[in-house]
Amino acid sequence: MARAAISVVMLCLFAATVIAEDPYVYYTWNVSYGTISPFGAPKQAILINDQFPGPEINCSSNNNIVVNVFNNLDEPLLFTWHGIQHRKNSWQEGTPGTMCPILPGTNFTYKFQVKDQIGTYFYYPSLGLHRTAGGIGGLRIFSRLLIPVPYPDPEAEHWFLIGDYYAKSHTALKQILDNGGSLGMPNGVLINGENVKHLHGDNKPQFTMKPGKTYKLRICNVGSKDSLNFRIQGHPMTLVETEGSHTVQNAYESLDVHVGQCFTVLITANQEPREYAVIASTRFTPYILEGKAIISYEGAKKHASLFLPLAPITWFWSLNQFRTFRWNLTASAARPNPQGSYHYGQINITRTIKIVNSVARDDSGKLRYAINGVSHVDPETPLKLAQYYGVADKVFQYNLISDSPDEYINKITVAPNVLNATFRDFVEIVFENPTVSVQSYNLDGYSFFLVGMEEGRWSPDKRESYNLLDAVSRHTVQVFPNSWSAILLTFDNAGMWNLRSENAENRYLGQQMYVSVLSPEKSLRDEYNLPLTQQVCGIVKDMPVPAPVYH
Ligand SMILES: *[C@@H]1O[C@H](CO)[C@@H](O)[C@H](O)[C@H]1NC(C)=O
Ligand SMILES: *[C@@H]1O[C@H](CO)[C@@H](O)[C@H](O)[C@H]1NC(C)=O
Ligand SMILES: *[C@@H]1O[C@H](CO)[C@@H](O)[C@H](O)[C@H]1NC(C)=O
Ligand SMILES: *[C@@H]1O[C@H](CO)[C@@H](O)[C@H](O)[C@H]1NC(C)=O
Ligand SMILES: *[C@@H]1O[C@H](CO)[C@@H](O)[C@H](O)[C@H]1NC(C)=O
Ligand SMILES: *[C@@H]1O[C@H](CO)[C@@H](O)[C@H](O)[C@H]1NC(C)=O
């Protein structure tokens, strides 16, 4: 009886997966140069369909996203989808380790599914220093209908893409780094590509609110270097989601948003109807750069008060704020890691990888950044393609770095940095930052549990301080100066995945690596074969396409 019932259920599930193909959303992007002048002086920017920031990608969990990108720049281009997991499909990840660049004057169509994800994300151009020039936009994933969301529908929702701004063009910045220099401080902070100079000037509000209504804001730090504090005059924010997880709904006067991080908050229009300032200001910098924008109430004429809320000081404040972020365990939502990592605190750790960042000058005197002593460079042949074609040994060497480097590393080796990981291993990654600047990392292909963060060096006894119950599952992690952060995750997504510094200078000069996770059974259940539409380049360009590797 029971068994019959189960097989009926299984049949239905099977039928559902076969019949109901998930909906598609289509975009066509024309990527070109344009000019922006948020602080008066013109700068060459990267526009998408003439927009800066670029158009949003809007979808629901499990939708298939198709983006046909026309590269009208005079240089190669790739887009990466920050926080999107691309399950079984690192082919679409859009980093130089997984894909050949889209050449000038050509187009390429990305196809990926936002499987089991919800929340606030963004995309950006991943090559060189393109991200400092634009090509960035929001990507929001709604819950599917019928899946309850743990807060009432807002009246409307709005983006706040915030980030530091360099007045120099991306090519000028690249030249500085190629010549061995450092970028130094940015020149300002932008909010949605703009900056309000005079709060009492003739400013166009980002949006207007109806008294009494609640609004949802999607905030991402899309910048190149600095952590930003985000705050709104007179309007505390209720945090509801961060990087794909519904959080415990605490109220905050301001939020520290490290580079690459996203938060979704609610604000309620319950103040005097007038204009209010929105502020994003740099943290942990020798002097503070501030970006401002305006929001308003419908029909309100009165300008914002000039008494602006102050930013917090010290990074301890930031660390303490991090400790208040908790996962809402009772909220239902798509869960990215279905098999058991919900109870992540009860799984035995099979491998501990320590990641130590360092900075040094190479033999020619040029600045390089490294992870465990290896400063990554992208070979002409994407790592993933070399692996698939069976010629990895001609392009890179696995495991140049050790899992447990002991001391601050002064010597730096410049080479492709690829770590081999075992499929389905439950690992602990400890980030140690012996430098005086805040680090921010993003891991593609996964979300992980950010379980601990403290000042000092990490040691195994620090595990006693881990949050093993309701740590937020996310995809970026900040590491404070002379501090460590620890994450737990299951390597259950086969592919070639980029772990990188969110700081443009560090990333460009080598503070990134790839983690290779292969399906031991070479099963299509675990990873897709090379898509027929994939571009090939480098040493595999003229080789015959291998017979499908996965079955
Ligand atoms: C794309 O943008 C470029 C530069 O602005 C323009 O010359 C071209 O006509 C545009 N192409 C399309 C298909 O809109
Ligand atoms: C965004 O996507 C959601 C869910 O797929 C849909 O309900 C909504 O109408 C879309 N909004 C826009 C502006 O396309
Ligand atoms: C380029 O765009 C055209 C449509 O304008 C499309 O048919 C073609 O498939 C695209 N090429 C690639 C490689 O995506
Ligand atoms: C968590 O989500 C549940 C279910 O949607 C909701 O009722 C509850 O208020 C949320 N808890 C907190 C502390 O935010
Ligand atoms: C975890 O390790 C402990 C000690 O080695 C062992 O007793 C326990 O059975 C393991 N748990 C699981 C779920 O494998
Ligand atoms: C990578 O790890 C897997 C699983 O542990 C192993 O089977 C494989 O031989 C390793 N490959 C290399 C190149 O080290």
Side-chain angles (χ1 to χ4, degrees), residues 58-60 140 142:
N58 173 48
C59 57
S60 292
R140 55 178 176 159
F142 286 95

PDB file of all heavy atoms in Angstrom, residues 58-60 140 142, ligand 2:
ATOM      1  N   ASN A  58      15.661  40.387 -14.788  1.00  0.00           N
ATOM      2  CA  ASN A  58      14.553  40.154 -13.866  1.00  0.00           C
ATOM      3  C   ASN A  58      13.970  38.775 -14.135  1.00  0.00           C
ATOM      4  O   ASN A  58      13.628  38.453 -15.261  1.00  0.00           O
ATOM      5  CB  ASN A  58      13.474  41.230 -14.121  1.00  0.00           C
ATOM      6  CG  ASN A  58      12.227  40.979 -13.333  1.00  0.00           C
ATOM      7  OD1 ASN A  58      12.296  40.718 -12.134  1.00  0.00           O
ATOM      8  ND2 ASN A  58      11.068  41.034 -13.983  1.00  0.00           N
ATOM      9  N   CYS A  59      13.867  37.960 -13.105  1.00  0.00           N
ATOM     10  CA  CYS A  59      13.366  36.603 -13.349  1.00  0.00           C
ATOM     11  C   CYS A  59      12.857  35.971 -12.063  1.00  0.00           C
ATOM     12  O   CYS A  59      12.884  36.588 -11.002  1.00  0.00           O
ATOM     13  CB  CYS A  59      14.494  35.750 -13.932  1.00  0.00           C
ATOM     14  SG  CYS A  59      15.960  35.689 -12.886  1.00  0.00           S
ATOM     15  N   SER A  60      12.401  34.737 -12.163  1.00  0.00           N
ATOM     16  CA  SER A  60      11.985  33.953 -10.998  1.00  0.00           C
ATOM     17  C   SER A  60      12.874  32.725 -10.882  1.00  0.00           C
ATOM     18  O   SER A  60      13.463  32.295 -11.885  1.00  0.00           O
ATOM     19  CB  SER A  60      10.545  33.481 -11.162  1.00  0.00           C
ATOM     20  OG  SER A  60       9.675  34.563 -11.118  1.00  0.00           O
ATOM     21  N   ARG A 140      17.738  40.288 -10.366  1.00  0.00           N
ATOM     22  CA  ARG A 140      16.884  39.910  -9.227  1.00  0.00           C
ATOM     23  C   ARG A 140      16.101  38.655  -9.552  1.00  0.00           C
ATOM     24  O   ARG A 140      15.604  38.488 -10.660  1.00  0.00           O
ATOM     25  CB  ARG A 140      15.950  41.048  -8.819  1.00  0.00           C
ATOM     26  CG  ARG A 140      15.104  41.579  -9.930  1.00  0.00           C
ATOM     27  CD  ARG A 140      14.164  42.681  -9.449  1.00  0.00           C
ATOM     28  NE  ARG A 140      13.442  43.203 -10.597  1.00  0.00           N
ATOM     29  CZ  ARG A 140      12.305  43.861 -10.537  1.00  0.00           C
ATOM     30  NH1 ARG A 140      11.738  44.130  -9.373  1.00  0.00           N
ATOM     31  NH2 ARG A 140      11.712  44.275 -11.634  1.00  0.00           N
ATOM     32  N   PHE A 142      12.946  36.480  -8.208  1.00  0.00           N
ATOM     33  CA  PHE A 142      11.794  36.370  -7.320  1.00  0.00           C
ATOM     34  C   PHE A 142      11.554  34.917  -6.948  1.00  0.00           C
ATOM     35  O   PHE A 142      11.928  34.006  -7.697  1.00  0.00           O
ATOM     36  CB  PHE A 142      10.548  36.912  -8.026  1.00  0.00           C
ATOM     37  CG  PHE A 142      10.518  38.417  -8.132  1.00  0.00           C
ATOM     38  CD1 PHE A 142      10.977  39.063  -9.266  1.00  0.00           C
ATOM     39  CD2 PHE A 142      10.041  39.179  -7.079  1.00  0.00           C
ATOM     40  CE1 PHE A 142      10.969  40.442  -9.355  1.00  0.00           C
ATOM     41  CE2 PHE A 142      10.027  40.566  -7.159  1.00  0.00           C
ATOM     42  CZ  PHE A 142      10.493  41.198  -8.292  1.00  0.00           C
TER      43      PHE A 142
HETATM   44  C1  LIG B   2       9.921  40.639 -13.028  1.00  0.00           C
HETATM   45  O1  LIG B   2       9.764  39.260 -12.886  1.00  0.00           O
HETATM   46  C2  LIG B   2       8.657  38.929 -12.086  1.00  0.00           C
HETATM   47  C3  LIG B   2       8.666  37.432 -11.840  1.00  0.00           C
HETATM   48  O2  LIG B   2       9.174  36.685 -12.919  1.00  0.00           O
HETATM   49  C4  LIG B   2       7.373  39.391 -12.773  1.00  0.00           C
HETATM   50  O3  LIG B   2       6.270  39.103 -11.961  1.00  0.00           O
HETATM   51  C5  LIG B   2       7.466  40.902 -13.004  1.00  0.00           C
HETATM   52  O4  LIG B   2       6.366  41.338 -13.759  1.00  0.00           O
HETATM   53  C6  LIG B   2       8.728  41.266 -13.738  1.00  0.00           C
HETATM   54  N1  LIG B   2       8.870  42.706 -13.788  1.00  0.00           N
HETATM   55  C7  LIG B   2       9.361  43.353 -14.842  1.00  0.00           C
HETATM   56  C8  LIG B   2       9.482  44.835 -14.705  1.00  0.00           C
HETATM   57  O5  LIG B   2       9.697  42.768 -15.838  1.00  0.00           O
END
